[in-house]
């Protein structure tokens, strides 16, 4: 009677092969996943997984307004100026930027745009929450003035003073401040703009999830010894897990000229509004 052949290791090999095949299943996603954390337990990822190309994010029509000197250049030179210069980056899905420079006889204007996509590697912290924390640090570093309170001034509890003016030259007569003559200059705020005109550094509403504008006037530019005034307006806004920073600087050629705060702020905020729309598409 012929005996059947028996291979003792065959069953073990089959089991091992089956186990390896089951373990090799992979969905191929490796970009922002939190390693070793079940998807059901990980915090929510951010809305955005990529960033716009920064030098193309600003339209030519906007650049013409913000870089007025380019209009007087030859076509090839103007095209080069409008193209901008991309910042060096090693991960275009995490951070990108672009910068422009416009020089005229009246001064220099510079524009920079920076996009940062925030990713949290803490399984308990979502990308949005991590972005909120980073944005909060930027706002704190800007040292924005506290909003003015509309509460009425407290009443004094001191005893009433006698009616009528005190005798001239009497001891204890309080000094009365003299109003400055008409046309005298008003001392500006630290940013170079009066608080009354509403241009002081402040939080902005209706721009992404959170936003603020900063306005700094310095006595001179870093690359000029003329003593000309330089104003830098910065607009920062957050939308989901992306932080966008716009920096717009104007440096006057004449030391007596102060770049206009209202103009720079309006142009920087208008650009911010256009960039928000790109993220909403």
């Amino acid at each position: 009677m012929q005996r059947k052949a028996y291979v003792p290791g065959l069953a073990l090999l089959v089991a091992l092969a089956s186990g390896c095949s089951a373990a090799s299943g992979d969905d191929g996603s490796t970009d922002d996943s939190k390693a070793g954390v079940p998807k059901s337990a990980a915090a929510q990822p951010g809305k955005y997984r990529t960033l716009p190309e920064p030098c193309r994010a600003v339209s030519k029509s906007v650049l013409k307004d913000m870089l007025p000197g380019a209009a007087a250049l030859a076509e090839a030179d103007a095209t080069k100026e409008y193209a901008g210069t991309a910042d060096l980056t090693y991960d275009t899905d995490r951070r990108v930027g672009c910068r422009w420079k416009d020089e005229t006889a009246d001064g220099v204007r510079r524009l920079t745009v920076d996009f940062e996509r925030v990713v949290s590697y803490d399984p308990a912290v979502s990308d949005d929450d991590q972005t909120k924390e980073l944005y909060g640090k930027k706002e704190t570093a800007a040292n924005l003035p506290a909003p003015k309170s509309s509460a009425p001034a407290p009443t004094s509890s001191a005893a009433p003073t006698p009616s009528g003016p005190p005798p001239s030259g009497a001891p204890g007569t309080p000094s009365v401040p003299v109003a400055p003559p008409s046309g005298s200059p008003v001392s500006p705020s630290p940013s170079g703009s009066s608080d009354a005109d509403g241009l002081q550094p402040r939080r902005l509403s209706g721009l992404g999830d959170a936003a603020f504008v900063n306005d700094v006037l310095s006595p001179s530019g870093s690359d000029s010894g003329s003593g000309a005034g330089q104003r830098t307006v910065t607009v920062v806004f957050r939308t989901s897990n992306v932080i966008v920073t716009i920096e717009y600087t104007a440096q006057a050629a004449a030391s007596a000229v102060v770049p206009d705060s209202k103009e720079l702020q309006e142009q920087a905020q208008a650009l911010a509004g256009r960039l928000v729309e790109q993220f909403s598409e």
Side-chain angles (χ1 to χ4, degrees):
M1 182 177 180
Q2 187 178 3
R3 295 183 179 180
K4 295 181 180 180
Y6 176 71
V7 182
L10 181 61
L12 178 60
L13 291 173
V14 172
L16 289 173
S18 176
C20 291
S21 176
S24 63
D26 191 358
D27 59 5
S29 59
T30 59
D31 46 356
D32 293 334
S33 60
K34 297 175 174 60
V37 180
K39 290 184 178 180
S40 59
Q44 289 296 319
K47 178 180 179 181
Y48 303 107
R49 310 303 294 270
T50 60
L51 292 170
E53 203 288 313
C55 293
R56 296 180 181 178
V58 185
S59 68
K60 187 176 180 179
S61 61
V62 172
L63 290 173
K64 285 183 176 181
D65 290 336
M66 303 184 78
L67 308 173
L73 300 176
E75 183 177 356
D77 294 333
T79 300
K80 183 178 180 180
E81 183 170 310
Y82 290 140
T85 303
D87 292 340
L88 179 64
T89 181
Y90 297 99
D91 189 347
T92 57
D93 286 337
R94 292 295 301 276
R95 190 162 193 169
V96 292
C98 190
R99 58 191 64 246
W100 296 262
K101 183 178 181 181
D102 182 49
E103 294 186 80
T104 67
D106 295 328
V108 180
R109 294 205 178 195
R110 298 179 181 84
L111 172 66
T112 63
V113 174
D114 178 87
F115 299 134
E116 181 177 3
R117 186 176 70 92
V118 181
V119 176
S120 168
Y121 292 102
D122 185 340
V125 179
S126 69
D127 292 347
D128 278 20
D129 287 341
Q130 184 72 18
T131 309
K132 290 178 184 177
E133 181 180 350
L134 180 58
Y135 170 85
K137 291 180 179 179
K138 291 178 178 290
E139 185 178 288
T140 300
N143 196 26
L144 304 180
K148 292 185 177 180
S149 174
S150 58
T155 57
S156 174
S157 59
T161 56
S163 60
S168 176
T173 302
S175 59
V176 180
V178 179
S182 176
S184 297
V186 178
S187 298
S189 65
S191 67
S193 59
S194 172
D195 288 342
D197 57 21
L199 297 175
Q200 67 276 8
R202 63 200 182 277
R203 294 183 179 89
L204 301 173
S205 59
L207 188 60
D209 297 323
F212 69 87
V213 58
N214 199 9
D215 190 327
V216 178
L217 180 65
S218 53
S220 63
S222 58
D223 58 353
S224 172
S226 64
Q230 174 176 288
R231 183 181 296 279
T232 300
V233 170
T234 305
V235 175
V236 181
F237 70 83
R238 176 182 67 81
T239 174
S240 186
N241 62 317
V242 171
I243 296 176
V244 178
T245 302
I246 298 168
E247 192 173 277
Y248 189 32
T249 300
Q251 179 181 323
S255 59
V257 177
V258 178
D260 185 65
S261 180
K262 183 178 180 181
E263 176 199 353
L264 298 184
Q265 286 196 29
E266 287 180 348
Q267 291 181 322
Q269 290 183 61
L271 172 56
R274 289 175 177 263
L275 295 179
V276 167
E277 292 176 357
Q278 293 188 26
F279 284 95
S280 302
E281 295 175 353

